[in-house]
Amino acid sequence: MSFTSLGLSDAILRAIEEKGYKTPSPIQSKAIPAILDGKDVMAAAQTGTGKTAGFTLPMLEILSRSESVKSNSVRALVLTPTRELAAQVAESVEHYGKFLPLRSAVVFGGVKINPQMMKLRRGVDILVATPGRLMDLYSQNAVKFSQLEILVLDEADRMLDMGFIRDIRKILALLPPRRQTLMFSATFSDEIRALTKGLLNQPVEIEVSPRNTTAQTVNQWICTVDKSRKTNLLIHLIKKNNWSQVLVFTRTKHGANRLTEKLGQSGIKAAAIHGNKSQGARTRALADFKSGTVRVLVATDIAARGLDIAQLPQVVNFELPNIPEDYVHRIGRTGRAGADGQAVSLVSADEAPHLQEIERLLKKKLVREVIDGFETGHDVPESNIASMPRAKSKPRPQGQNRPAAKKKSTHTKRSHSGSGQRNEHRPSGSATRSNKPGN
Ligand code: AMP
């Protein structure tokens, strides 16, 4: 299938061509015709699938076909959970709409509200917003929704995780009931399904990658290591493998700062990106990372959500996430749009329960490596992924840890220098001894 057969105008096709896209991604070939047909859409798609263009292209097409916008009004509203994602969606809107006479704006918190109010004064065809700032603008009469035709909820699951449900419900109550609604979410939890009731009208359901599976192009492996040696191991891996662009995840903001400092001390340029950083600092860190001035970006889950860094080759989980689904989101940062990626998790013995939950979710065991010189004093017990159903995880606040594994067991180690290729996964069910799940 080609983009030309999807029903998009020449102005949009030109912008796509400029981007160098040859064929629509699976989400695009399914979502674009449905949206152009006026249908509501509920799509399960992670970052990296091309979902942004999947809703932006048909939205621009629909908006370009009819009348202009009144002052302070909005014809299409895209809600996103984070400022970074809002900025990235807005960038896409601007690029794909560059040959169209449409106006767009992006609003989010953490920066001055006045310039945003000025921008909205003439009205915009497309407004990309985070929920909190949008409510502030609404309460100051800076934005009206009477002309609203299209609503997009991007990364709806994350908006719920981040506690935006009340803001979202308030916003929904302000919108005209006759509109087209598009919802994108990495997963469809019961909570998401509850939100969709009454929100979506006979939606077309689209699922592009099976729920909770990681992209095939990502080589995933774990390095078992003692907790106290993780920083040195990371420095060793970056230097030895000459990794030039690495996204590193830590569980806490404090941990991100500390690691950034240590990397800097060892001569590796790094920047941290998390909720305590100002918007300016985050934008700068991301720009420096993209341009290559900064080699390592250390991020917490929420800050990293939705970051679109084209063809990110290397992701490191400095700590495993508390919530196993976050592992899938993290890994989604790499190996996108067909490019190969590598994701390594540094796992210490106390993280065995998290590892077990992740491996149960993935339904496979991850390949283990022990790097020469970083052999463990405390073994990481092998997960038992077969015997028990995984407990349904509830979102937990960042930084909240679970009890460490009490029982220890042995496992076979493979020693590795840390420079080779790791393409295969160990078949699931191989090995090992069991340890009790951590929750
Ligand atoms: P997204 O899932 O929207 O965050 O997009 C992930 C990445 O894929 C972005 O860097 C896009 O520029 C890129 N992308 C989107 N659509 C296509 C396509 N049809 N062909 C190649 N790359 C694409």
Side-chain angles (χ1 to χ4, degrees):
M1 188 187 265
S2 75
F3 277 106
T4 47
S5 59
L6 290 175
L8 299 165
S9 63
D10 285 349
I12 295 177
L13 292 174
R14 256 168 72 203
I16 295 171
E17 203 180 309
E18 269 195 9
K19 271 272 188 190
Y21 303 164
K22 297 281 179 275
T23 49
S25 69
I27 181 98
Q28 290 161 2
S29 49
K30 286 179 189 154
I32 293 172
I35 297 170
L36 289 178
D37 218 17
K39 302 258 175 35
D40 280 4
V41 164
M42 175 169 172
Q46 295 164 18
T47 306
T49 52
K51 69 182 168 67
T52 315
F55 63 77
T56 305
L57 298 173
M59 180 172 74
L60 289 166
E61 179 67 40
I62 292 169
L63 295 172
S64 68
R65 288 174 184 169
S66 58
E67 90 272 34
S68 61
V69 66
K70 297 181 187 131
S71 60
N72 287 106
S73 292
V74 172
R75 293 174 65 208
L77 172 65
V78 183
L79 287 177
T80 73
T82 63
R83 304 158 188 184
E84 283 79 14
L85 185 60
Q88 282 160 20
V89 171
E91 214 175 277
S92 295
V93 167
E94 237 167 64
H95 181 87
Y96 301 131
K98 68 195 282 192
F99 302 117
L100 294 171
L102 297 172
R103 279 203 299 273
S104 65
V106 56
V107 296
F108 44 70
V111 292
K112 284 192 190 129
I113 199 167
N114 275 2
Q116 298 179 348
M117 292 173 87
M118 300 280 281
K119 221 161 174 212
L120 293 174
R121 207 169 274 171
R122 287 172 64 207
V124 290
D125 295 282
I126 300 140
L127 179 62
V128 186
T130 52
R133 178 53 61 96
L134 184 68
M135 284 310 292
D136 290 346
L137 286 160
Y138 179 79
S139 64
Q140 298 191 46
N141 292 323
V143 60
K144 291 186 217 156
F145 299 118
S146 52
Q147 249 194 308
L148 191 108
E149 298 167 43
I150 303 173
L151 168 70
V152 182
L153 295 174
D154 195 10
E155 303 202 347
D157 52 339
R158 188 50 53 141
M159 284 202 266
L160 298 190
D161 285 354
M162 290 173 70
F164 284 133
I165 185 71
R166 286 187 56 193
D167 278 341
I168 290 170
R169 290 210 183 275
K170 272 191 218 158
I171 294 164
L172 292 175
L174 301 170
L175 306 181
R178 260 180 68 91
R179 58 159 198 265
Q180 190 174 7
T181 306
L182 317 172
M183 187 158 92
F184 290 77
S185 186
T187 56
F188 283 135
S189 60
D190 295 344
E191 213 183 349
I192 288 284
R193 289 198 180 271
L195 176 69
T196 61
K197 289 221 173 84
L199 173 66
L200 297 172
N201 179 21
Q202 300 184 325
V204 173
E205 290 198 21
I206 300 171
E207 189 153 9
V208 285
S209 66
R211 201 170 151 173
N212 294 331
T213 57
T214 43
Q216 288 306 309
T217 46
V218 182
N219 301 328
Q220 310 169 57
W221 51 289
I222 64 173
C223 255
T224 54
V225 61
D226 288 340
K227 203 181 185 74
S228 60
R229 307 209 58 211
K230 279 191 179 185
T231 305
N232 284 344
L233 174 59
L234 179 62
I235 292 167
H236 169 86
L237 287 171
I238 292 171
K239 288 188 171 169
K240 172 138 190 146
N241 297 312
N242 210 10
W243 289 338
S244 57
Q245 201 187 31
V246 195
L247 179 60
V248 178
F249 287 94
T250 58
R251 276 194 303 101
T252 65
K253 298 167 191 169
H254 187 59
N257 286 341
R258 221 173 24 220
L259 183 60
T260 304
E261 215 170 279
K262 296 235 173 91
L263 289 170
Q265 284 163 6
S266 70
I268 297 169
K269 278 213 161 168
I273 185 165
H274 56 64
N276 284 0
K277 294 270 176 187
S278 70
Q279 186 54 37
R282 292 199 212 186
T283 311
R284 219 168 26 249
L286 187 59
D288 287 348
F289 184 60
K290 282 187 174 184
S291 72
T293 327
V294 156
R295 190 169 172 189
V296 182
L297 192 64
V298 186
T300 54
D301 284 294
I302 286 178
R305 178 75 177 176
L307 288 181
D308 176 21
I309 304 154
Q311 314 216 328
L312 189 61
Q314 188 65 54
V315 167
V316 176
N317 293 314
F318 190 76
E319 286 133 352
L320 289 178
N322 291 355
I323 304 165
E325 282 80 3
D326 278 346
Y327 176 86
V328 180
H329 293 315
R330 288 179 178 189
I331 301 306
R333 311 297 97 192
T334 185
R336 56 185 45 194
D340 273 352
Q342 197 181 179
V344 57
S345 304
L346 312 188
V347 183
S348 50
D350 60 308
E351 294 175 294
H354 298 329
L355 179 63
Q356 171 156 285
E357 284 209 24
I358 289 163
E359 291 184 327
R360 281 183 176 178
L361 181 69
L362 299 175
K363 297 194 177 68
K364 69 178 171 212
K365 291 195 183 185
L366 297 170
V367 172
R368 288 176 176 225
E369 307 278 354
V370 178
I371 304 299
D372 288 344
F374 290 90
E375 291 78 7
T376 50
H378 304 277
D379 281 339
V380 181
E382 290 271 352
S383 309
N384 176 1
I385 61 172
S387 69
M388 266 182 221
R390 198 175 67 83
K392 214 175 159 212
S393 67
K394 286 205 181 71
R396 282 174 293 278
Q398 265 191 310
Q400 194 179 315
N401 210 347
R402 285 202 191 146
K406 293 217 172 72
K407 230 169 156 185
K408 229 171 80 172
S409 66
T410 52
H411 69 280
T412 335
K413 285 179 200 166
R414 263 199 305 148
S415 200
H416 202 285
S417 69
S419 55
Q421 283 291 319
R422 295 157 197 88
N423 283 316
E424 87 289 30
H425 303 301
R426 185 183 288 185
S428 64
S430 67
T432 55
R433 283 161 196 266
S434 66
N435 67 306
K436 285 233 157 55
N439 57 348

